[in-house]
Amino acid sequence: MGLADFFKKKTSSGVAKDRLKLVLVSDRAGCSPELMEQIKNDIIAVISRYVEIDLEGLDIKITQTESEGNNGTVPALFANIPIKDMKSNK
């Protein structure tokens, strides 16, 4: 699966589900859905240069987590990116 597969047509229920997740996560993190989508796309583009990833199993979120210094909560990026195969160095 290449980067072109990322742009394949999704079902309307799949698109709606993705949008809802994006809105909920962006609301919790305090950033816009557009910024969340841009971050996700940038991460996918960079990682795809080096490895073949499973876009179906991809899960990227920004949530709030406790800071190490106990100074309250801070945004945290969590990414679960299943790797299908390593790309050869050419």
Side-chain angles (χ1 to χ4, degrees):
M1 180 179 293
L3 187 57
D5 293 330
F6 177 69
F7 297 104
K8 69 181 176 183
K9 190 161 179 111
K10 294 182 178 182
T11 63
S12 62
S13 63
V15 171
K17 182 178 174 182
D18 288 346
R19 285 184 183 161
L20 179 58
K21 280 189 204 176
L22 191 60
V23 168
L24 292 172
V25 169
S26 64
D27 185 52
R28 288 186 208 140
C31 67
S32 71
E34 293 81 17
L35 179 60
M36 286 291 303
E37 190 64 30
Q38 186 177 4
I39 290 169
K40 182 178 178 180
N41 291 339
D42 288 349
I43 289 170
I44 291 169
V46 170
I47 292 174
S48 292
R49 285 191 259 167
Y50 304 99
V51 297
E52 184 179 347
I53 60 176
D54 176 12
L55 293 175
E56 297 285 324
L58 183 72
D59 185 25
I60 298 174
K61 341 177 183 185
I62 296 179
T63 62
Q64 296 289 328
T65 188
E66 286 294 321
S67 69
E68 288 184 19
N70 294 328
N71 298 350
T73 60
V74 294
L77 174 75
F78 291 98
N80 180 12
I81 305 170
I83 297 173
K84 286 184 169 183
D85 197 13
M86 299 300 290
K87 292 186 176 179
S88 61
N89 294 333
K90 292 183 181 181

